[in-house]
Amino acid sequence: MSTISLKLPDSLLLRLDQESRQRRMTKSALVRAALERELEQPETAVGASCYDLARDLAGSLKKLPKDLATNPKYMEGFGR
């Protein structure tokens, strides 16, 4: 495994330190995991729809009307 160095703002370093203690893992392991997650994600470049960007949120709220997205009565008074 190779070694690199990087500069972090004090506030980010503090957050990294706190998170590594909370998760009981080294700062290096936490940074590696974050980099792997970031680099594995597909690029959200031009052409990505709103749904593509928020796909993981679809259906995450419970107890809402089943026709919320299609029934015009829910838009009455919107924007006033």
Side-chain angles (χ1 to χ4, degrees):
M1 189 176 299
S2 299
T3 302
I4 66 165
S5 64
L6 67 139
K7 295 180 181 183
L8 298 175
D10 291 339
S11 60
L12 184 56
L13 183 58
L14 178 63
R15 288 173 51 199
L16 176 63
D17 190 45
Q18 290 170 343
E19 190 68 23
S20 69
R21 275 189 267 122
Q22 182 179 347
R23 294 185 189 199
R24 294 185 175 158
M25 60 193 302
T26 65
K27 288 184 265 190
S28 293
L30 185 56
V31 169
R32 278 193 299 273
L35 274 172
E36 286 177 6
R37 274 193 315 274
E38 178 63 26
L39 296 176
E40 286 176 0
Q41 291 180 1
E43 187 127 357
T44 56
V46 177
S49 70
C50 183
Y51 175 75
D52 291 334
L53 299 175
R55 178 184 329 213
D56 59 325
L57 301 175
S60 63
L61 298 176
K62 306 297 181 209
K63 298 183 181 179
L64 291 177
K66 298 215 183 278
D67 62 345
L68 184 62
T70 57
N71 193 331
K73 79 175 185 180
Y74 299 114
M75 294 301 290
E76 289 175 11
F78 182 76
R80 291 185 191 165

